[in-house]
Amino acid sequence: MKEVAEVRELKENRYMIIDNEPCKIISISVSKPGKHGEAKARIDAIGVFDGQKRSVVYPVRHKVQIPVIDKRTAQVVAIMGDKVQLMDMETFETFEMDIPEEFKDKLKEGEEIQYLQAMGKRKITRT
């Protein structure tokens, strides 16, 4: 699911979609309008799932897509090597995902973790 917003409505530490990837906005700088044009905004952002830095320049009236990012809680059911099996605490859905580098050796069975879900992707954010 996605929403639409104008560039001038965006704020730092919020999210937008760049190159079909949900990104967290790091900085926004707006130039003054020119003689025959409108103000433009330069947006620097980092991909939520891939960690890549991206920059775009749009007119302030340009419409961009905003991802619906779900912050959820899950319980660690099982750890199988580099994969972890999780159960969502609301829907009780179970799913597997790769364990990110920063959480290797930190996950324990029965423990609750927080994860983000957006555009069909998931990422563990906190143990």
Side-chain angles (χ1 to χ4, degrees), residues 25-71:
I25 299 169
I26 303 168
S27 68
I28 301 174
S29 54
V30 179
S31 65
K32 292 185 175 159
K35 202 174 194 181
H36 299 289
E38 57 181 310
K40 292 198 172 34
R42 177 187 170 88
I43 302 167
D44 293 320
I46 290 187
V48 173
F49 297 107
D50 63 5
Q52 277 191 338
K53 191 170 182 183
R54 294 174 169 86
S55 296
V56 289
V57 177
Y58 289 130
V60 290
R61 289 193 188 149
H62 184 78
K63 296 208 182 306
V64 293
Q65 292 184 322
I66 308 294
V68 176
I69 295 193
D70 219 358
K71 293 180 180 163

Side-chain angles (χ1 to χ4, degrees), residues 110-124:
E111 190 176 71
E112 287 189 14
I113 56 110
Q114 289 183 335
Y115 72 98
L116 293 179
Q117 179 172 308
M119 297 174 64
K121 298 178 183 175
R122 295 181 173 119
K123 177 185 177 181
I124 296 173

